[in-house]
Amino acid sequence: MSSARTSLRRLGLGGALAAAAVLTAAGAASAHVTVHPDNYAKGATDGALTFRVPDESDTASTTKVQLFLPTDHPLLGVLVSPHDGWTAKVTDTKLRTPVKTDDGTITDAVSEITWTGGKIGPGQYEDFDVAFGQLPDDTAQLTFKTLQTYSDGKVVRWIEEAAQGDEEPENPAPVLKLTAAGTTSATASQTSAVASKASKASASDSTARGLGVAGLIVGVLGLAAGAFAVARSRRTQ
């Protein structure tokens, strides 16, 4: 019996360690620079993106973040939100293909934003906010390659792009998916329609129940009236 219990305990401990190893690996794999939200409608205007930068080192702090914006499908009207302790340097680039808008032709766009002066400690993260005036409408996604510099001199290059159907690379670049304009609104409309139908069905059901209860009450009152009449008739006789 003792041997059997020992074997079971060893198996349980082994399973727990294996599960912990899987969870740790999953956590490490997911700790990379990301963009939020991860999707937007094509051609969206007056929005904002948040770039989350986690510190993966056990001993060093993140002291510099370089974000590279695509210029083949540029973001127009980029603005950087002030961030306590950090200084943002914005670099513009002349576009190879100018973008025509209702306000005129745009020939320059932001190609790089570099944050320095702050610090992200081990096991911590920072959110960097970037506003835009308009997203492009001629591509399905935008890739934001990022360089993360640590206080010990190490530089992590979040620049890898996964091909369609491939597994996520070791150092993936943040990717923003661009969906067809109106997709979100259509989904919201469908949800609203379903809710409306459910509400109408509920109201109809409530009405039917109310009529049923009313019918029962009328029936009971009728029986009571009949019983009273019979009793009165007997007394009279």
Side-chain angles (χ1 to χ4, degrees):
M1 179 67 70
S2 177
S3 176
R5 288 181 178 175
T6 301
S7 297
L8 288 174
R9 287 178 181 174
R10 288 178 178 173
L11 286 174
L13 179 59
L17 290 175
V22 171
L23 290 175
T24 300
S30 62
H32 50 255
V33 179
T34 52
V35 58
H36 305 272
D38 61 2
N39 68 85
Y40 242 112
K42 292 181 177 181
T45 58
D46 301 325
L49 300 173
T50 296
F51 294 89
R52 177 160 296 176
V53 182
D55 188 290
E56 297 182 299
S57 175
D58 295 328
T59 57
S61 299
T62 297
T63 57
K64 182 179 180 181
V65 177
Q66 294 171 269
L67 177 69
F68 297 91
L69 286 68
T71 54
D72 53 346
H73 302 286
L75 282 71
L76 305 181
V78 171
L79 295 173
V80 180
S81 175
H83 202 65
D84 291 343
W86 294 86
T87 299
K89 178 183 177 182
V90 179
T91 301
D92 289 346
T93 296
K94 195 168 191 65
L95 299 175
R96 292 183 178 180
T97 304
V99 179
K100 294 183 179 180
T101 70
D102 295 337
D103 298 323
T105 300
I106 306 299
T107 59
D108 298 84
V110 174
S111 59
E112 180 184 346
I113 304 173
T114 301
W115 287 274
T116 56
K119 181 176 68 175
I120 307 173
Q124 300 178 345
Y125 72 89
E126 287 280 0
D127 284 341
F128 298 91
D129 299 324
V130 177
F132 61 82
Q134 184 175 344
L135 293 179
D137 58 5
D138 57 351
T139 184
Q141 66 179 36
L142 297 174
T143 301
F144 299 90
K145 296 183 178 181
T146 307
L147 301 185
Q148 181 179 8
T149 302
Y150 285 87
S151 56
D152 59 3
K154 180 181 178 181
V155 178
V156 180
R157 302 168 63 83
W158 303 102
I159 62 173
E160 297 177 0
E161 301 179 56
Q164 188 70 26
D166 287 353
E167 295 183 357
E168 185 178 72
E170 183 177 357
N171 294 317
V175 174
L176 177 69
K177 301 290 185 181
L178 296 182
T179 60
T183 299
T184 303
S185 299
T187 301
S189 298
Q190 292 174 359
T191 302
S192 176
V194 171
S196 178
K197 289 181 180 179
S199 177
K200 290 180 180 179
S202 177
S204 177
D205 184 58
S206 298
T207 301
R209 289 182 180 179
L211 291 174
V213 172
L216 287 174
I217 293 174
V218 172
V220 170
L221 291 175
L223 289 174
F228 178 75
V230 171
R232 185 176 182 181
S233 175
R234 287 180 178 178
R235 288 178 181 177
T236 301
Q237 293 177 354

